Amino acid sequence: MSTALAVFVVQQEFSDSAWKKSAPVIVGEQGATIYLGQDESENLRKVQKAGRQLDNLGVSSAKLSGEGWDFERQWAFANGYTDTRSTNKLEWASNSEALTQTRNVVNWTRELVNLPPMDIYPEALAQRVAEKLESLAPEKVSSRVIKGDELLQEGWMGIHTVGRASKRPPCMLVVDYNPTGNADAEIDTVLVGKGITFDSGGYSLKSSEGMLAMKCDMGGAATVAGALGLAIEQGLQKRVQLVLCCAENLVDGSAYLLGDIITYKNGLTVEVVNTDAEGRLVLADGLQYAGEVGAKRVIDAATLTGAAQVAVGNEYNALFSVDDELANKALSTAAAQRENLWRLPLQPWHKENTPSAFADCANSRPQKGGGTGGASNAAGFLLRFAPNDGKGWLHFDIAGAYHNSANAMWATGATALGVRTIAALLQD
Ligand code: BES
Ligand code: MN
Ligand code: ZN
């Protein structure tokens, strides 16, 4: 006999004088019941809120029961019901193999982001991701870590510059998933992740309040790693590489300074006008790597700008691309995966929006938050490094995906929003 709380959905008008009409879920003797209406988007929101409320009530084990639980309704419940430490137990009503697969990967992603920076430093991040992906497909996955001064030998100047002030050295992780059996197979997609395991802001130091959540700054790395993991579990048949740009953005006597100029592998020089605009500096290396290996598509994910979070809020990721066809594909894929994604402006001329008198460009405008259009200007900076003038490239700014506090839909911390969309794009 199951000791879990049974949770039902019913498609009917709710009438019970003891409960408010606005209650997403009511709890009775046989279990909990969620009353649904005609609009399925609203229904999914309600189901997710119900999950969140049951966690708030202290329910630690739930069993989705009865009719009416399709994949998306069950998934919405799981998203809401998952607590920050993902201790809650959940039994599915149907479709349990696909749902368990998704939940395992997504919870892995959320937990990784939520771990403290004392545990998740650059090498630890690289190692955990490599181990996870190797465990999913030992024969098809290989990986390499380029660490500390090795980064200089290979020309990965951005990662080294940002990360060199930490006692825990920066690194680049490269994972190769090659299911083809042909070592020279073409690479369909390179995934690039921002893996700043802690962002103090560097000498452009953040305030204490602004810094508190900055263990989440490897969220892009966790998201693309989770996406590849999910796609592998779903039987991905294409060769995909994952590149994580891992560093701790700290201060000490060897840290990079405002006014410093970074000369990248491709010859481009960048003046640092703000050491807190570090994400784009490390991603530049990942994008150049993608160009070197000749990937057809490049997808990056990064907690890149507060501006993106301000623009689209905490329930959306922001999408940037100069490739309209691919951008539209990403938007329709996100809609199909029931993940909120909103496209923000990016034109080739955004490259010119961070000018410098001393170098080819600066890493930001010398204004708070990068000035107006800060998220687009950051994307414009990345476009300078994207292969093929940005054709085949998607940039996900996921700064809103980590929640400083719980809301009606999500527990405090990481949401892993974007994992499903990027996994589905890989399959495409
Ligand atoms: N990691 C931050 C962006 C961020 C902010 C992520 C809030 C999640 C929540 C990033 O490195 C950063 O500091 N960006 C600056 C850029 C600015 C200095 C041009 C920002 O958004 O203020
Ligand atoms: Mn920063
Ligand atoms: Zn950052």
Side-chain angles (χ1 to χ4, degrees):
M1 201 192 83
S2 169
T3 53
L5 179 79
V7 182
F8 301 90
V9 284
V10 294
Q11 192 101 23
Q12 73 188 49
E13 191 71 30
F14 158 68
S15 61
D16 183 321
S17 54
W19 292 76
K20 287 181 180 146
K21 259 202 144 89
S22 58
V25 59
I26 68 163
V27 185
E29 228 137 82
Q30 350 74 306
T33 307
I34 307 165
Y35 288 82
L36 299 181
Q38 292 307 316
D39 180 339
E40 192 55 19
S41 299
E42 272 308 305
N43 287 343
L44 292 174
R45 284 177 58 81
K46 197 168 191 184
V47 169
Q48 184 164 344
K49 284 183 186 170
R52 187 88 297 276
Q53 290 227 336
L54 290 175
D55 175 61
N56 280 331
L57 284 173
V59 176
S60 64
S61 181
K63 181 178 176 19
L64 305 181
S65 308
E67 302 298 307
W69 285 109
D70 64 10
F71 182 99
E72 293 302 339
R73 287 179 179 177
Q74 293 184 81
W75 183 247
F77 185 90
N79 274 339
Y81 184 59
T82 301
D83 52 325
T84 301
R85 301 187 191 184
S86 38
T87 59
N88 286 340
K89 287 200 181 59
L90 181 56
E91 292 173 59
W92 309 107
S94 61
N95 240 320
S96 49
E97 204 181 312
L99 282 159
T100 299
Q101 215 169 51
T102 308
R103 190 156 198 256
N104 285 345
V105 173
V106 164
N107 281 4
W108 174 83
T109 306
R110 289 174 72 165
E111 287 166 35
L112 185 62
V113 177
N114 288 337
L115 281 169
M118 61 187 281
D119 293 334
I120 300 300
Y121 47 93
E123 272 186 279
L125 174 61
Q127 194 188 340
R128 277 185 194 241
V129 167
E131 268 171 16
K132 176 71 178 177
L133 295 174
E134 277 160 18
S135 77
L136 295 178
E139 259 87 78
K140 298 171 184 162
V141 173
S142 58
S143 66
R144 191 161 79 94
V145 177
I146 306 134
K147 175 181 120 184
D149 287 346
E150 290 164 20
L151 290 163
L152 291 177
Q153 282 146 36
E154 301 206 14
W156 304 124
M157 307 311 291
I159 299 172
H160 186 272
T161 300
V162 170
R164 72 181 183 221
S166 171
K167 284 209 169 115
R168 308 194 282 186
C171 64
M172 177 190 265
L173 169 71
V174 179
V175 176
D176 185 16
Y177 172 71
N178 188 353
T180 66
N182 168 11
D184 300 320
E186 72 170 348
I187 297 169
D188 181 76
T189 306
V190 170
L191 298 170
V192 179
K194 172 177 174 182
I196 300 295
T197 57
F198 187 73
D199 182 11
S200 74
Y203 275 98
S204 307
L205 199 65
K206 289 181 183 295
S207 67
S208 183
E209 306 79 63
M211 209 186 291
L212 175 58
M214 284 303 128
K215 67 177 183 183
C216 83
D217 217 17
M218 34 60 75
T223 299
V224 285
L228 178 55
L230 182 55
I232 291 172
E233 293 251 78
Q234 292 166 341
L236 181 64
Q237 291 303 318
K238 291 183 245 174
R239 186 175 184 191
V240 172
Q241 291 198 349
L242 174 81
V243 182
L244 302 187
C245 309
C246 308
E248 258 184 335
N249 188 19
L250 300 185
V251 283
D252 83 346
S254 71
Y256 73 134
L257 303 176
L258 288 83
D260 275 353
I261 293 175
I262 303 173
T263 302
Y264 279 95
K265 223 178 169 174
N266 62 5
L268 218 76
T269 56
V270 174
E271 185 196 1
V272 175
V273 301
N274 191 322
T275 59
D276 198 11
E278 85 297 340
R280 62 199 79 179
L281 296 176
V282 301
L283 289 171
D285 285 341
L287 294 171
Q288 287 176 100
Y289 175 90
E292 284 182 7
V293 298
K296 279 197 290 182
R297 294 187 303 180
V298 184
I299 302 175
D300 80 70
T303 49
L304 201 63
T305 64
Q309 187 180 20
V310 169
V312 300
N314 280 111
E315 301 295 333
Y316 279 82
N317 285 331
L319 176 70
F320 299 84
S321 183
V322 289
D323 185 333
D324 288 336
E325 202 183 315
L326 187 58
N328 287 331
K329 168 143 284 173
L331 293 172
S332 60
T333 301
Q337 297 297 319
R338 296 279 181 182
E339 288 190 323
N340 290 323
L341 181 65
W342 202 266
R343 190 176 178 190
L344 292 180
L346 179 62
Q347 298 275 352
W349 50 261
H350 279 103
K351 284 194 283 199
E352 314 302 329
N353 276 7
T354 57
S356 163
F358 300 98
D360 294 329
C361 68
N363 71 332
S364 174
R365 284 191 177 176
Q367 292 161 16
K368 198 168 196 290
T372 59
S376 294
N377 298 343
F381 176 91
L382 296 179
L383 179 55
R384 288 176 174 268
F385 294 91
N388 308 319
D389 293 323
K391 188 145 184 39
W393 169 59
L394 295 172
H395 162 53
F396 287 76
D397 192 330
I398 65 164
Y402 179 90
H403 296 187
N404 295 334
S405 54
N407 64 18
M409 309 277 287
W410 299 96
T412 301
T415 60
L417 187 70
V419 167
R420 284 184 61 184
T421 299
I422 296 172
L425 282 167
L426 291 178
Q427 302 287 4
D428 194 82

mmCIF file of all heavy atoms in Angstrom, residues 194 196 199 201 206 210 213-214 216-217 249 274-280 303-307 309 363-365 367-371 374 397-400 402, ligand 1:
data_model
loop_
_atom_site.group_PDB
_atom_site.id
_atom_site.type_symbol
_atom_site.label_atom_id
_atom_site.label_comp_id
_atom_site.label_asym_id
_atom_site.label_seq_id
_atom_site.Cartn_x
_atom_site.Cartn_y
_atom_site.Cartn_z
ATOM 1 N N LYS A 194 28.257 29.203 -19.829
ATOM 2 C CA LYS A 194 28.957 30.079 -18.892
ATOM 3 C C LYS A 194 29.047 29.370 -17.549
ATOM 4 O O LYS A 194 28.040 29.088 -16.918
ATOM 5 C CB LYS A 194 28.206 31.413 -18.736
ATOM 6 C CG LYS A 194 28.782 32.313 -17.630
ATOM 7 C CD LYS A 194 28.071 33.672 -17.538
ATOM 8 C CE LYS A 194 28.558 34.480 -16.331
ATOM 9 N NZ LYS A 194 27.872 35.776 -16.164
ATOM 10 N N ILE A 196 30.710 30.381 -14.554
ATOM 11 C CA ILE A 196 31.303 31.189 -13.484
ATOM 12 C C ILE A 196 30.768 30.628 -12.162
ATOM 13 O O ILE A 196 29.592 30.790 -11.838
ATOM 14 C CB ILE A 196 30.958 32.683 -13.654
ATOM 15 C CG1 ILE A 196 31.494 33.218 -14.990
ATOM 16 C CG2 ILE A 196 31.523 33.495 -12.482
ATOM 17 C CD1 ILE A 196 33.020 33.220 -15.133
ATOM 18 N N ASP A 199 30.532 34.711 -8.923
ATOM 19 C CA ASP A 199 30.785 36.006 -9.555
ATOM 20 C C ASP A 199 30.743 37.110 -8.501
ATOM 21 O O ASP A 199 29.678 37.606 -8.147
ATOM 22 C CB ASP A 199 29.739 36.259 -10.656
ATOM 23 C CG ASP A 199 29.973 37.575 -11.383
ATOM 24 O OD1 ASP A 199 31.050 38.178 -11.191
ATOM 25 O OD2 ASP A 199 29.085 37.981 -12.161
ATOM 26 N N GLY A 201 32.086 39.894 -9.072
ATOM 27 C CA GLY A 201 32.172 41.130 -9.857
ATOM 28 C C GLY A 201 33.623 41.514 -10.137
ATOM 29 O O GLY A 201 33.888 42.380 -10.957
ATOM 30 N N LYS A 206 30.604 43.603 -6.758
ATOM 31 C CA LYS A 206 29.165 43.684 -6.518
ATOM 32 C C LYS A 206 28.891 44.063 -5.069
ATOM 33 O O LYS A 206 29.739 43.865 -4.197
ATOM 34 C CB LYS A 206 28.517 42.316 -6.801
ATOM 35 C CG LYS A 206 28.454 41.920 -8.259
ATOM 36 C CD LYS A 206 27.768 40.561 -8.404
ATOM 37 C CE LYS A 206 27.743 40.079 -9.846
ATOM 38 N NZ LYS A 206 26.939 40.907 -10.756
ATOM 39 N N GLY A 210 23.781 42.030 -4.176
ATOM 40 C CA GLY A 210 23.930 41.641 -5.580
ATOM 41 C C GLY A 210 24.748 40.375 -5.742
ATOM 42 O O GLY A 210 24.646 39.676 -6.745
ATOM 43 N N ALA A 213 23.377 35.743 -4.703
ATOM 44 C CA ALA A 213 22.891 34.651 -5.554
ATOM 45 C C ALA A 213 23.943 34.167 -6.547
ATOM 46 O O ALA A 213 23.650 33.284 -7.369
ATOM 47 C CB ALA A 213 21.641 35.109 -6.298
ATOM 48 N N MET A 214 25.155 34.715 -6.503
ATOM 49 C CA MET A 214 26.085 34.512 -7.620
ATOM 50 C C MET A 214 26.755 33.142 -7.687
ATOM 51 O O MET A 214 27.593 32.888 -8.544
ATOM 52 C CB MET A 214 27.101 35.646 -7.692
ATOM 53 C CG MET A 214 26.484 36.907 -8.284
ATOM 54 S SD MET A 214 25.780 36.585 -9.930
ATOM 55 C CE MET A 214 24.129 37.231 -9.766
ATOM 56 N N CYS A 216 24.871 31.026 -8.640
ATOM 57 C CA CYS A 216 24.042 30.575 -9.780
ATOM 58 C C CYS A 216 24.682 30.880 -11.116
ATOM 59 O O CYS A 216 24.115 30.549 -12.156
ATOM 60 C CB CYS A 216 22.664 31.220 -9.737
ATOM 61 S SG CYS A 216 22.634 32.894 -10.451
ATOM 62 N N ASP A 217 25.879 31.486 -11.089
ATOM 63 C CA ASP A 217 26.432 32.016 -12.334
ATOM 64 C C ASP A 217 27.069 30.936 -13.222
ATOM 65 O O ASP A 217 27.629 31.237 -14.265
ATOM 66 C CB ASP A 217 27.436 33.137 -12.021
ATOM 67 C CG ASP A 217 27.380 34.267 -13.034
ATOM 68 O OD1 ASP A 217 26.384 34.344 -13.777
ATOM 69 O OD2 ASP A 217 28.339 35.053 -13.089
ATOM 70 N N ASN A 249 35.210 34.411 -10.558
ATOM 71 C CA ASN A 249 35.540 35.819 -10.777
ATOM 72 C C ASN A 249 35.811 36.478 -9.424
ATOM 73 O O ASN A 249 34.887 36.930 -8.748
ATOM 74 C CB ASN A 249 34.385 36.514 -11.516
ATOM 75 C CG ASN A 249 34.721 37.926 -11.958
ATOM 76 O OD1 ASN A 249 35.901 38.299 -12.043
ATOM 77 N ND2 ASN A 249 33.702 38.719 -12.235
ATOM 78 N N ASN A 274 34.734 46.900 -17.317
ATOM 79 C CA ASN A 274 33.974 46.462 -16.147
ATOM 80 C C ASN A 274 34.290 44.984 -15.918
ATOM 81 O O ASN A 274 33.966 44.139 -16.759
ATOM 82 C CB ASN A 274 32.475 46.683 -16.391
ATOM 83 C CG ASN A 274 31.664 46.498 -15.123
ATOM 84 O OD1 ASN A 274 31.948 45.624 -14.307
ATOM 85 N ND2 ASN A 274 30.657 47.332 -14.933
ATOM 86 N N THR A 275 34.919 44.681 -14.782
ATOM 87 C CA THR A 275 35.298 43.277 -14.546
ATOM 88 C C THR A 275 34.084 42.422 -14.178
ATOM 89 O O THR A 275 34.198 41.194 -14.068
ATOM 90 C CB THR A 275 36.351 43.150 -13.427
ATOM 91 O OG1 THR A 275 35.814 43.708 -12.219
ATOM 92 C CG2 THR A 275 37.649 43.861 -13.804
ATOM 93 N N ASP A 276 32.922 43.079 -13.985
ATOM 94 C CA ASP A 276 31.697 42.326 -13.704
ATOM 95 C C ASP A 276 31.003 41.878 -14.996
ATOM 96 O O ASP A 276 30.060 41.109 -14.948
ATOM 97 C CB ASP A 276 30.765 43.173 -12.839
ATOM 98 C CG ASP A 276 29.704 42.351 -12.142
ATOM 99 O OD1 ASP A 276 29.822 41.098 -12.161
ATOM 100 O OD2 ASP A 276 28.767 42.946 -11.575
ATOM 101 N N ALA A 277 31.462 42.380 -16.128
ATOM 102 C CA ALA A 277 30.956 41.873 -17.414
ATOM 103 C C ALA A 277 31.896 40.755 -17.865
ATOM 104 O O ALA A 277 32.524 40.813 -18.928
ATOM 105 C CB ALA A 277 30.871 42.995 -18.437
ATOM 106 N N GLU A 278 32.040 39.723 -16.995
ATOM 107 C CA GLU A 278 33.030 38.662 -17.193
ATOM 108 C C GLU A 278 32.494 37.504 -18.022
ATOM 109 O O GLU A 278 33.272 36.786 -18.657
ATOM 110 C CB GLU A 278 33.511 38.145 -15.827
ATOM 111 C CG GLU A 278 32.649 37.062 -15.164
ATOM 112 C CD GLU A 278 31.243 37.509 -14.809
ATOM 113 O OE1 GLU A 278 31.006 38.729 -14.720
ATOM 114 O OE2 GLU A 278 30.363 36.647 -14.628
ATOM 115 N N GLY A 279 31.165 37.322 -18.001
ATOM 116 C CA GLY A 279 30.588 36.161 -18.676
ATOM 117 C C GLY A 279 30.903 36.164 -20.158
ATOM 118 O O GLY A 279 31.324 35.158 -20.739
ATOM 119 N N ARG A 280 30.735 37.325 -20.788
ATOM 120 C CA ARG A 280 30.986 37.434 -22.227
ATOM 121 C C ARG A 280 32.461 37.201 -22.542
ATOM 122 O O ARG A 280 32.798 36.727 -23.622
ATOM 123 C CB ARG A 280 30.476 38.793 -22.731
ATOM 124 C CG ARG A 280 31.157 39.960 -22.103
ATOM 125 C CD ARG A 280 30.359 41.261 -22.242
ATOM 126 N NE ARG A 280 29.257 41.360 -21.274
ATOM 127 C CZ ARG A 280 28.438 42.399 -21.185
ATOM 128 N NH1 ARG A 280 28.555 43.409 -22.016
ATOM 129 N NH2 ARG A 280 27.479 42.416 -20.284
ATOM 130 N N THR A 303 23.933 32.916 -17.628
ATOM 131 C CA THR A 303 23.317 33.925 -16.746
ATOM 132 C C THR A 303 24.084 35.214 -16.993
ATOM 133 O O THR A 303 24.927 35.609 -16.199
ATOM 134 C CB THR A 303 23.439 33.490 -15.276
ATOM 135 O OG1 THR A 303 24.814 33.111 -15.033
ATOM 136 C CG2 THR A 303 22.541 32.324 -14.949
ATOM 137 N N LEU A 304 23.790 35.862 -18.123
ATOM 138 C CA LEU A 304 24.708 36.886 -18.622
ATOM 139 C C LEU A 304 24.431 38.290 -18.111
ATOM 140 O O LEU A 304 25.358 39.010 -17.766
ATOM 141 C CB LEU A 304 24.714 36.873 -20.151
ATOM 142 C CG LEU A 304 25.957 37.499 -20.790
ATOM 143 C CD1 LEU A 304 27.220 36.725 -20.426
ATOM 144 C CD2 LEU A 304 25.818 37.559 -22.308
ATOM 145 N N THR A 305 23.160 38.688 -18.081
ATOM 146 C CA THR A 305 22.881 40.091 -17.724
ATOM 147 C C THR A 305 21.660 40.248 -16.824
ATOM 148 O O THR A 305 20.616 39.615 -17.047
ATOM 149 C CB THR A 305 22.631 40.957 -18.989
ATOM 150 O OG1 THR A 305 21.455 40.510 -19.653
ATOM 151 C CG2 THR A 305 23.818 40.937 -19.932
ATOM 152 N N GLY A 306 21.799 41.120 -15.850
ATOM 153 C CA GLY A 306 20.639 41.534 -15.072
ATOM 154 C C GLY A 306 19.605 42.198 -15.975
ATOM 155 O O GLY A 306 18.403 42.122 -15.713
ATOM 156 N N ALA A 307 20.064 42.822 -17.057
ATOM 157 C CA ALA A 307 19.154 43.507 -17.979
ATOM 158 C C ALA A 307 18.154 42.534 -18.612
ATOM 159 O O ALA A 307 16.985 42.874 -18.804
ATOM 160 C CB ALA A 307 19.950 44.224 -19.068
ATOM 161 N N GLN A 309 17.044 39.802 -17.257
ATOM 162 C CA GLN A 309 16.110 39.450 -16.186
ATOM 163 C C GLN A 309 15.077 40.564 -16.003
ATOM 164 O O GLN A 309 13.878 40.309 -15.867
ATOM 165 C CB GLN A 309 16.915 39.248 -14.901
ATOM 166 C CG GLN A 309 16.128 38.721 -13.739
ATOM 167 C CD GLN A 309 17.026 38.570 -12.512
ATOM 168 O OE1 GLN A 309 18.090 39.187 -12.425
ATOM 169 N NE2 GLN A 309 16.607 37.765 -11.571
ATOM 170 N N ASN A 363 34.355 45.521 -23.236
ATOM 171 C CA ASN A 363 33.488 44.404 -22.840
ATOM 172 C C ASN A 363 32.120 44.873 -22.365
ATOM 173 O O ASN A 363 31.262 44.065 -22.018
ATOM 174 C CB ASN A 363 34.153 43.499 -21.798
ATOM 175 C CG ASN A 363 34.279 44.144 -20.431
ATOM 176 O OD1 ASN A 363 34.361 45.376 -20.311
ATOM 177 N ND2 ASN A 363 34.297 43.313 -19.387
ATOM 178 N N SER A 364 31.907 46.183 -22.329
ATOM 179 C CA SER A 364 30.602 46.722 -21.934
ATOM 180 C C SER A 364 30.594 48.188 -22.290
ATOM 181 O O SER A 364 31.622 48.742 -22.717
ATOM 182 C CB SER A 364 30.406 46.552 -20.429
ATOM 183 O OG SER A 364 29.215 47.184 -19.998
ATOM 184 N N ARG A 365 29.468 48.831 -22.121
ATOM 185 C CA ARG A 365 29.482 50.279 -22.025
ATOM 186 C C ARG A 365 29.876 50.630 -20.600
ATOM 187 O O ARG A 365 29.512 49.904 -19.667
ATOM 188 C CB ARG A 365 28.094 50.844 -22.301
ATOM 189 C CG ARG A 365 27.741 50.826 -23.758
ATOM 190 C CD ARG A 365 26.489 51.633 -24.010
ATOM 191 N NE ARG A 365 26.214 51.653 -25.432
ATOM 192 C CZ ARG A 365 25.155 52.201 -25.973
ATOM 193 N NH1 ARG A 365 24.245 52.766 -25.184
ATOM 194 N NH2 ARG A 365 24.971 52.187 -27.265
ATOM 195 N N GLN A 367 28.759 51.999 -18.199
ATOM 196 C CA GLN A 367 27.574 52.474 -17.474
ATOM 197 C C GLN A 367 26.999 51.335 -16.660
ATOM 198 O O GLN A 367 27.205 50.177 -16.982
ATOM 199 C CB GLN A 367 26.504 52.946 -18.475
ATOM 200 C CG GLN A 367 26.873 54.198 -19.244
ATOM 201 C CD GLN A 367 26.043 54.357 -20.515
ATOM 202 O OE1 GLN A 367 25.019 53.715 -20.678
ATOM 203 N NE2 GLN A 367 26.521 55.190 -21.421
ATOM 204 N N LYS A 368 26.225 51.697 -15.655
ATOM 205 C CA LYS A 368 25.607 50.698 -14.790
ATOM 206 C C LYS A 368 24.794 49.695 -15.616
ATOM 207 O O LYS A 368 23.982 50.104 -16.461
ATOM 208 C CB LYS A 368 24.675 51.409 -13.797
ATOM 209 C CG LYS A 368 24.324 50.577 -12.598
ATOM 210 C CD LYS A 368 23.650 51.439 -11.524
ATOM 211 C CE LYS A 368 23.616 50.775 -10.183
ATOM 212 N NZ LYS A 368 22.739 49.646 -10.055
ATOM 213 N N GLY A 369 25.048 48.419 -15.382
ATOM 214 C CA GLY A 369 24.290 47.379 -16.088
ATOM 215 C C GLY A 369 24.531 47.365 -17.591
ATOM 216 O O GLY A 369 23.804 46.720 -18.334
ATOM 217 N N GLY A 370 25.560 48.097 -18.048
ATOM 218 C CA GLY A 370 25.831 48.138 -19.483
ATOM 219 C C GLY A 370 24.969 49.143 -20.225
ATOM 220 O O GLY A 370 24.992 49.190 -21.450
ATOM 221 N N GLY A 371 24.206 49.942 -19.494
ATOM 222 C CA GLY A 371 23.378 50.976 -20.119
ATOM 223 C C GLY A 371 22.090 50.414 -20.694
ATOM 224 O O GLY A 371 21.739 49.252 -20.457
ATOM 225 N N GLY A 374 21.206 46.662 -22.331
ATOM 226 C CA GLY A 374 22.405 45.955 -21.870
ATOM 227 C C GLY A 374 22.473 44.486 -22.284
ATOM 228 O O GLY A 374 23.560 43.971 -22.561
ATOM 229 N N ASP A 397 20.034 33.946 -22.817
ATOM 230 C CA ASP A 397 20.379 34.648 -21.573
ATOM 231 C C ASP A 397 19.379 34.206 -20.512
ATOM 232 O O ASP A 397 18.202 34.574 -20.546
ATOM 233 C CB ASP A 397 20.353 36.169 -21.778
ATOM 234 C CG ASP A 397 20.994 36.923 -20.604
ATOM 235 O OD1 ASP A 397 20.937 36.408 -19.463
ATOM 236 O OD2 ASP A 397 21.532 38.033 -20.829
ATOM 237 N N ILE A 398 19.868 33.394 -19.571
ATOM 238 C CA ILE A 398 18.975 32.727 -18.618
ATOM 239 C C ILE A 398 19.095 33.332 -17.217
ATOM 240 O O ILE A 398 18.842 32.651 -16.217
ATOM 241 C CB ILE A 398 19.252 31.204 -18.585
ATOM 242 C CG1 ILE A 398 20.656 30.912 -18.059
ATOM 243 C CG2 ILE A 398 19.084 30.593 -19.964
ATOM 244 C CD1 ILE A 398 20.851 29.448 -17.650
ATOM 245 N N ALA A 399 19.439 34.626 -17.153
ATOM 246 C CA ALA A 399 19.655 35.270 -15.852
ATOM 247 C C ALA A 399 18.414 35.203 -14.953
ATOM 248 O O ALA A 399 18.531 35.244 -13.731
ATOM 249 C CB ALA A 399 20.089 36.723 -16.045
ATOM 250 N N GLY A 400 17.224 35.092 -15.552
ATOM 251 C CA GLY A 400 16.001 35.058 -14.745
ATOM 252 C C GLY A 400 15.630 33.671 -14.248
ATOM 253 O O GLY A 400 14.700 33.525 -13.443
ATOM 254 N N TYR A 402 17.082 31.599 -12.276
ATOM 255 C CA TYR A 402 17.368 31.295 -10.869
ATOM 256 C C TYR A 402 16.541 32.241 -10.005
ATOM 257 O O TYR A 402 16.537 33.451 -10.242
ATOM 258 C CB TYR A 402 18.866 31.487 -10.593
ATOM 259 C CG TYR A 402 19.276 31.222 -9.164
ATOM 260 C CD1 TYR A 402 19.668 29.943 -8.766
ATOM 261 C CD2 TYR A 402 19.262 32.244 -8.217
ATOM 262 C CE1 TYR A 402 20.047 29.695 -7.462
ATOM 263 C CE2 TYR A 402 19.634 31.999 -6.903
ATOM 264 C CZ TYR A 402 20.022 30.717 -6.532
ATOM 265 O OH TYR A 402 20.396 30.480 -5.237
HETATM 266 N N1 BES B 1 26.237 37.129 -13.566
HETATM 267 C C1 BES B 1 25.878 38.474 -13.815
HETATM 268 C C2 BES B 1 24.462 38.620 -14.357
HETATM 269 C C3 BES B 1 23.337 38.223 -13.454
HETATM 270 C C4 BES B 1 22.693 39.159 -12.681
HETATM 271 C C5 BES B 1 22.866 36.923 -13.430
HETATM 272 C C6 BES B 1 21.650 38.798 -11.870
HETATM 273 C C7 BES B 1 21.807 36.553 -12.622
HETATM 274 C C8 BES B 1 21.191 37.505 -11.852
HETATM 275 C C9 BES B 1 26.823 39.083 -14.848
HETATM 276 O O1 BES B 1 28.128 38.605 -14.831
HETATM 277 C C10 BES B 1 26.900 40.542 -14.563
HETATM 278 O O2 BES B 1 27.416 40.903 -13.552
HETATM 279 N N2 BES B 1 26.383 41.348 -15.483
HETATM 280 C C11 BES B 1 26.410 42.772 -15.350
HETATM 281 C C12 BES B 1 26.914 43.334 -16.660
HETATM 282 C C13 BES B 1 27.241 44.765 -16.617
HETATM 283 C C14 BES B 1 28.388 45.026 -15.688
HETATM 284 C C15 BES B 1 27.578 45.243 -18.018
HETATM 285 C C16 BES B 1 25.002 43.252 -15.066
HETATM 286 O O3 BES B 1 24.048 42.657 -15.558
HETATM 287 O O4 BES B 1 24.865 44.224 -14.333
#
